[in-house]
Short mmCIF file of all heavy atoms in Angstrom, two decimals:
data_model
loop_
_atom_site.label_atom_id
_atom_site.label_comp_id
_atom_site.label_asym_id
_atom_site.label_seq_id
_atom_site.Cartn_x
_atom_site.Cartn_y
_atom_site.Cartn_z
N VAL H 176 1.95 6.97 -43.76
CA VAL H 176 1.22 6.22 -44.78
C VAL H 176 0.43 5.04 -44.18
O VAL H 176 -0.54 4.57 -44.78
CB VAL H 176 2.21 5.77 -45.92
CG1 VAL H 176 3.18 4.75 -45.43
CG2 VAL H 176 1.46 5.25 -47.11
N PHE H 177 0.82 4.61 -42.99
CA PHE H 177 0.12 3.48 -42.34
C PHE H 177 -0.92 3.96 -41.32
O PHE H 177 -1.52 3.13 -40.64
CB PHE H 177 1.12 2.56 -41.65
CG PHE H 177 2.03 1.86 -42.63
CD1 PHE H 177 3.31 2.33 -42.85
CD2 PHE H 177 1.60 0.76 -43.34
CE1 PHE H 177 4.15 1.71 -43.76
CE2 PHE H 177 2.42 0.13 -44.26
CZ PHE H 177 3.71 0.61 -44.48
N VAL H 180 -4.36 2.22 -41.32
CA VAL H 180 -4.43 0.79 -40.99
C VAL H 180 -3.76 0.46 -39.65
O VAL H 180 -3.82 -0.69 -39.19
CB VAL H 180 -3.78 -0.07 -42.10
CG1 VAL H 180 -4.60 0.00 -43.37
CG2 VAL H 180 -2.34 0.36 -42.37
N GLU H 185 -3.85 -6.69 -38.66
CA GLU H 185 -2.95 -7.12 -39.75
C GLU H 185 -1.67 -6.28 -39.81
O GLU H 185 -0.78 -6.57 -40.61
CB GLU H 185 -3.66 -7.02 -41.11
CG GLU H 185 -4.75 -8.05 -41.34
CD GLU H 185 -6.01 -7.74 -40.54
OE1 GLU H 185 -6.34 -6.56 -40.38
OE2 GLU H 185 -6.61 -8.71 -40.03
N VAL H 186 -1.60 -5.23 -39.02
CA VAL H 186 -0.41 -4.37 -39.05
C VAL H 186 0.24 -4.39 -37.67
O VAL H 186 -0.39 -4.03 -36.67
CB VAL H 186 -0.77 -2.93 -39.48
CG1 VAL H 186 0.45 -2.03 -39.43
CG2 VAL H 186 -1.35 -2.94 -40.88
N LYS H 208 0.96 -14.64 -46.25
CA LYS H 208 1.78 -13.73 -47.06
C LYS H 208 2.07 -12.49 -46.20
O LYS H 208 1.15 -11.83 -45.72
CB LYS H 208 1.01 -13.35 -48.33
CG LYS H 208 1.88 -12.65 -49.34
CD LYS H 208 1.40 -12.89 -50.77
CE LYS H 208 2.18 -12.05 -51.77
NZ LYS H 208 3.62 -12.14 -51.69
N ILE H 209 3.34 -12.25 -45.98
CA ILE H 209 3.75 -11.21 -45.02
C ILE H 209 4.69 -10.21 -45.68
O ILE H 209 5.58 -10.59 -46.45
CB ILE H 209 4.46 -11.86 -43.80
CG1 ILE H 209 3.53 -12.90 -43.15
CG2 ILE H 209 4.88 -10.80 -42.78
CD1 ILE H 209 4.12 -13.60 -41.95
N ALA H 210 4.49 -8.93 -45.36
CA ALA H 210 5.44 -7.89 -45.80
C ALA H 210 6.22 -7.41 -44.58
O ALA H 210 5.64 -7.17 -43.53
CB ALA H 210 4.68 -6.71 -46.40
N VAL H 211 7.53 -7.33 -44.74
CA VAL H 211 8.37 -6.73 -43.68
C VAL H 211 8.91 -5.41 -44.25
O VAL H 211 9.56 -5.39 -45.29
CB VAL H 211 9.55 -7.66 -43.30
CG1 VAL H 211 10.43 -7.01 -42.25
CG2 VAL H 211 9.03 -9.00 -42.81
N ILE H 212 8.62 -4.32 -43.54
CA ILE H 212 9.01 -2.99 -44.05
C ILE H 212 10.16 -2.44 -43.22
O ILE H 212 10.06 -2.35 -41.99
CB ILE H 212 7.83 -1.98 -43.92
CG1 ILE H 212 6.49 -2.60 -44.34
CG2 ILE H 212 8.14 -0.68 -44.65
CD1 ILE H 212 6.26 -2.74 -45.79
N GLY H 213 11.25 -2.07 -43.88
CA GLY H 213 12.36 -1.41 -43.17
C GLY H 213 13.66 -2.18 -43.29
O GLY H 213 13.67 -3.41 -43.12
N ASP H 235 7.75 -10.83 -48.27
CA ASP H 235 8.39 -9.78 -49.06
C ASP H 235 9.13 -8.84 -48.11
O ASP H 235 8.57 -8.36 -47.12
CB ASP H 235 7.33 -8.96 -49.81
CG ASP H 235 6.85 -9.67 -51.07
OD1 ASP H 235 7.48 -10.68 -51.46
OD2 ASP H 235 5.85 -9.22 -51.66
N PHE H 236 10.39 -8.59 -48.45
CA PHE H 236 11.22 -7.68 -47.65
C PHE H 236 11.28 -6.38 -48.44
O PHE H 236 11.84 -6.34 -49.55
CB PHE H 236 12.61 -8.33 -47.49
CG PHE H 236 13.49 -7.70 -46.47
CD1 PHE H 236 13.04 -6.70 -45.61
CD2 PHE H 236 14.81 -8.13 -46.33
CE1 PHE H 236 13.87 -6.14 -44.66
CE2 PHE H 236 15.65 -7.57 -45.38
CZ PHE H 236 15.18 -6.58 -44.55
N ILE H 237 10.67 -5.33 -47.89
CA ILE H 237 10.46 -4.09 -48.66
C ILE H 237 11.23 -2.93 -48.02
O ILE H 237 11.06 -2.66 -46.83
CB ILE H 237 8.94 -3.75 -48.68
CG1 ILE H 237 8.14 -4.93 -49.24
CG2 ILE H 237 8.68 -2.47 -49.48
CD1 ILE H 237 6.63 -4.76 -49.17
N PHE H 238 12.06 -2.28 -48.81
CA PHE H 238 12.75 -1.09 -48.27
C PHE H 238 13.11 -0.12 -49.39
O PHE H 238 13.16 -0.48 -50.56
CB PHE H 238 13.97 -1.47 -47.43
CG PHE H 238 14.90 -2.48 -48.04
CD1 PHE H 238 15.95 -2.09 -48.84
CD2 PHE H 238 14.73 -3.84 -47.80
CE1 PHE H 238 16.83 -3.02 -49.39
CE2 PHE H 238 15.59 -4.79 -48.34
CZ PHE H 238 16.64 -4.38 -49.14
N LEU H 313 12.09 -6.55 -52.31
CA LEU H 313 11.56 -5.36 -52.98
C LEU H 313 12.36 -4.15 -52.53
O LEU H 313 11.95 -3.37 -51.67
CB LEU H 313 10.07 -5.20 -52.67
CG LEU H 313 9.13 -6.07 -53.50
CD1 LEU H 313 9.26 -7.55 -53.12
CD2 LEU H 313 7.69 -5.65 -53.32
N THR H 316 12.04 0.46 -53.07
CA THR H 316 10.57 0.44 -53.12
C THR H 316 9.98 1.23 -51.96
O THR H 316 10.37 1.03 -50.80
CB THR H 316 10.07 -1.02 -53.06
OG1 THR H 316 10.62 -1.73 -54.17
CG2 THR H 316 8.55 -1.08 -53.12
N GLN H 317 9.04 2.07 -52.29
CA GLN H 317 8.40 2.91 -51.28
C GLN H 317 6.93 2.55 -51.19
O GLN H 317 6.27 2.39 -52.21
CB GLN H 317 8.55 4.36 -51.74
CG GLN H 317 7.89 5.33 -50.82
CD GLN H 317 8.78 6.56 -50.61
OE1 GLN H 317 9.78 6.73 -51.30
NE2 GLN H 317 8.43 7.38 -49.67
N VAL H 318 6.43 2.43 -49.94
CA VAL H 318 4.99 2.19 -49.76
C VAL H 318 4.31 3.55 -49.81
O VAL H 318 4.61 4.44 -49.02
CB VAL H 318 4.71 1.52 -48.40
CG1 VAL H 318 3.21 1.28 -48.23
CG2 VAL H 318 5.48 0.21 -48.27
N THR H 319 3.38 3.73 -50.75
CA THR H 319 2.72 5.04 -50.87
C THR H 319 1.27 5.01 -50.40
O THR H 319 0.65 6.06 -50.24
CB THR H 319 2.77 5.57 -52.32
OG1 THR H 319 2.18 4.58 -53.17
CG2 THR H 319 4.20 5.85 -52.76
N ALA H 320 0.72 3.82 -50.19
CA ALA H 320 -0.64 3.74 -49.63
C ALA H 320 -0.81 2.38 -48.98
O ALA H 320 -0.19 1.39 -49.40
CB ALA H 320 -1.69 3.94 -50.72
N ALA H 321 -1.64 2.33 -47.94
CA ALA H 321 -1.94 1.06 -47.25
C ALA H 321 -3.42 1.07 -46.91
O ALA H 321 -3.90 1.98 -46.24
CB ALA H 321 -1.09 0.97 -45.98
N LYS H 322 -4.14 0.04 -47.39
CA LYS H 322 -5.59 -0.01 -47.17
C LYS H 322 -5.99 -1.38 -46.64
O LYS H 322 -5.46 -2.40 -47.08
CB LYS H 322 -6.34 0.20 -48.49
CG LYS H 322 -6.07 1.50 -49.20
CD LYS H 322 -7.37 2.26 -49.48
CE LYS H 322 -7.14 3.68 -49.98
NZ LYS H 322 -6.40 4.54 -49.10
N ALA H 323 -6.94 -1.38 -45.69
CA ALA H 323 -7.47 -2.65 -45.18
C ALA H 323 -8.57 -3.12 -46.14
O ALA H 323 -9.46 -2.35 -46.49
CB ALA H 323 -8.04 -2.43 -43.78
N GLN H 324 -8.46 -4.39 -46.56
CA GLN H 324 -9.45 -4.93 -47.52
C GLN H 324 -9.73 -6.38 -47.19
O GLN H 324 -8.88 -7.25 -47.42
CB GLN H 324 -8.91 -4.86 -48.95
CG GLN H 324 -9.03 -3.50 -49.60
CD GLN H 324 -8.36 -3.46 -50.98
OE1 GLN H 324 -7.73 -4.43 -51.41
NE2 GLN H 324 -8.50 -2.34 -51.66
N LYS H 327 -7.25 -8.33 -45.18
CA LYS H 327 -5.87 -8.23 -45.68
C LYS H 327 -5.48 -6.76 -45.78
O LYS H 327 -6.34 -5.88 -45.65
CB LYS H 327 -5.76 -8.87 -47.06
CG LYS H 327 -5.94 -10.38 -47.03
CD LYS H 327 -5.69 -10.97 -48.39
CE LYS H 327 -6.08 -12.43 -48.44
NZ LYS H 327 -5.02 -13.34 -48.11
N ILE H 328 -4.19 -6.52 -46.03
CA ILE H 328 -3.73 -5.15 -46.22
C ILE H 328 -3.17 -5.03 -47.64
O ILE H 328 -2.29 -5.80 -48.04
CB ILE H 328 -2.61 -4.79 -45.21
CG1 ILE H 328 -3.11 -4.91 -43.77
CG2 ILE H 328 -2.05 -3.39 -45.48
CD1 ILE H 328 -4.13 -3.87 -43.31
N ALA H 329 -3.73 -4.08 -48.39
CA ALA H 329 -3.24 -3.84 -49.76
C ALA H 329 -2.22 -2.71 -49.69
O ALA H 329 -2.53 -1.61 -49.21
CB ALA H 329 -4.40 -3.46 -50.67
N LEU H 330 -1.01 -2.99 -50.14
CA LEU H 330 0.04 -1.96 -50.15
C LEU H 330 0.27 -1.49 -51.58
O LEU H 330 0.44 -2.32 -52.49
CB LEU H 330 1.35 -2.51 -49.59
CG LEU H 330 1.38 -2.98 -48.13
CD1 LEU H 330 2.81 -3.40 -47.76
CD2 LEU H 330 0.89 -1.88 -47.18
N THR H 331 0.28 -0.18 -51.76
CA THR H 331 0.69 0.36 -53.06
C THR H 331 2.20 0.59 -52.99
O THR H 331 2.69 1.28 -52.09
CB THR H 331 -0.03 1.70 -53.36
OG1 THR H 331 -1.43 1.45 -53.22
CG2 THR H 331 0.28 2.19 -54.75
N LEU H 332 2.91 -0.02 -53.92
CA LEU H 332 4.37 0.00 -53.88
C LEU H 332 4.91 0.72 -55.11
O LEU H 332 4.58 0.36 -56.24
CB LEU H 332 4.90 -1.44 -53.86
CG LEU H 332 4.33 -2.32 -52.73
CD1 LEU H 332 4.67 -3.79 -52.93
CD2 LEU H 332 4.88 -1.85 -51.38
N CYS H 333 5.71 1.76 -54.86
CA CYS H 333 6.26 2.57 -55.97
C CYS H 333 7.77 2.45 -55.98
O CYS H 333 8.41 2.50 -54.92
CB CYS H 333 5.94 4.04 -55.75
SG CYS H 333 4.29 4.45 -56.17
N ALA H 340 3.62 2.08 -60.26
CA ALA H 340 3.26 1.50 -58.95
C ALA H 340 2.58 0.15 -59.16
O ALA H 340 1.98 -0.10 -60.20
CB ALA H 340 2.32 2.45 -58.23
N GLU H 341 2.68 -0.72 -58.16
CA GLU H 341 1.90 -1.97 -58.18
C GLU H 341 1.25 -2.13 -56.82
O GLU H 341 1.69 -1.53 -55.83
CB GLU H 341 2.78 -3.18 -58.51
CG GLU H 341 3.84 -3.46 -57.48
CD GLU H 341 4.46 -4.86 -57.62
OE1 GLU H 341 3.72 -5.83 -57.87
OE2 GLU H 341 5.69 -4.97 -57.44
N THR H 342 0.19 -2.93 -56.76
CA THR H 342 -0.46 -3.17 -55.47
C THR H 342 -0.32 -4.64 -55.13
O THR H 342 -0.53 -5.52 -55.97
CB THR H 342 -1.95 -2.79 -55.55
OG1 THR H 342 -2.03 -1.41 -55.90
CG2 THR H 342 -2.65 -2.99 -54.20
N ARG H 343 0.09 -4.90 -53.90
CA ARG H 343 0.18 -6.28 -53.42
C ARG H 343 -0.61 -6.42 -52.13
O ARG H 343 -0.65 -5.49 -51.32
CB ARG H 343 1.64 -6.68 -53.16
CG ARG H 343 2.46 -6.81 -54.42
CD ARG H 343 3.77 -7.53 -54.13
NE ARG H 343 4.60 -7.57 -55.32
CZ ARG H 343 5.69 -8.31 -55.44
NH1 ARG H 343 6.11 -9.06 -54.42
NH2 ARG H 343 6.39 -8.31 -56.55
N SER H 344 -1.18 -7.59 -51.93
CA SER H 344 -2.03 -7.81 -50.78
C SER H 344 -1.35 -8.76 -49.79
O SER H 344 -0.77 -9.77 -50.20
CB SER H 344 -3.34 -8.41 -51.31
OG SER H 344 -4.26 -8.47 -50.30
N TYR H 345 -1.43 -8.43 -48.50
CA TYR H 345 -0.73 -9.23 -47.48
C TYR H 345 -1.66 -9.61 -46.33
O TYR H 345 -2.55 -8.84 -45.95
CB TYR H 345 0.44 -8.42 -46.91
CG TYR H 345 1.50 -8.12 -47.94
CD1 TYR H 345 1.52 -6.90 -48.62
CD2 TYR H 345 2.46 -9.07 -48.27
CE1 TYR H 345 2.47 -6.62 -49.59
CE2 TYR H 345 3.43 -8.80 -49.25
CZ TYR H 345 3.43 -7.58 -49.89
OH TYR H 345 4.38 -7.33 -50.86
N ASP H 346 -1.42 -10.79 -45.75
CA ASP H 346 -2.16 -11.18 -44.54
C ASP H 346 -1.65 -10.39 -43.34
O ASP H 346 -2.39 -10.12 -42.39
CB ASP H 346 -1.94 -12.68 -44.25
CG ASP H 346 -2.46 -13.54 -45.38
OD1 ASP H 346 -3.65 -13.39 -45.73
OD2 ASP H 346 -1.68 -14.35 -45.93
N LEU H 347 -0.37 -10.06 -43.39
CA LEU H 347 0.25 -9.34 -42.27
C LEU H 347 1.31 -8.37 -42.79
O LEU H 347 2.04 -8.72 -43.74
CB LEU H 347 0.98 -10.32 -41.34
CG LEU H 347 0.29 -10.87 -40.12
CD1 LEU H 347 1.26 -11.79 -39.38
CD2 LEU H 347 -0.14 -9.74 -39.18
N VAL H 348 1.38 -7.21 -42.16
CA VAL H 348 2.46 -6.26 -42.49
C VAL H 348 3.23 -5.99 -41.19
O VAL H 348 2.62 -5.59 -40.19
CB VAL H 348 1.89 -4.94 -43.05
CG1 VAL H 348 3.00 -3.92 -43.26
CG2 VAL H 348 1.14 -5.20 -44.36
N VAL H 349 4.53 -6.24 -41.22
CA VAL H 349 5.35 -5.97 -40.02
C VAL H 349 6.15 -4.70 -40.26
O VAL H 349 6.93 -4.62 -41.22
CB VAL H 349 6.30 -7.15 -39.70
CG1 VAL H 349 7.05 -6.88 -38.40
CG2 VAL H 349 5.53 -8.46 -39.60
N LEU H 350 5.94 -3.71 -39.42
CA LEU H 350 6.64 -2.43 -39.56
C LEU H 350 7.90 -2.42 -38.70
O LEU H 350 7.82 -2.31 -37.47
CB LEU H 350 5.73 -1.28 -39.12
CG LEU H 350 4.40 -1.13 -39.87
CD1 LEU H 350 3.59 0.02 -39.28
CD2 LEU H 350 4.64 -0.92 -41.35
#
Side-chain angles (χ1 to χ4, degrees):
V176 68
F177 294 100
V180 292
E185 290 74 36
V186 177
K208 191 151 174 51
I209 303 180
V211 178
I212 317 284
D235 280 349
F236 193 7
I237 304 174
F238 47 90
L313 280 70
T316 300
Q317 177 138 10
V318 180
T319 56
K322 300 235 170 301
Q324 280 175 355
K327 291 186 189 269
I328 300 291
L330 297 184
T331 306
L332 305 168
C333 282
E341 64 165 318
T342 301
R343 291 194 184 191
S344 189
Y345 296 97
D346 299 305
L347 265 181
V348 175
V349 184
L350 302 178

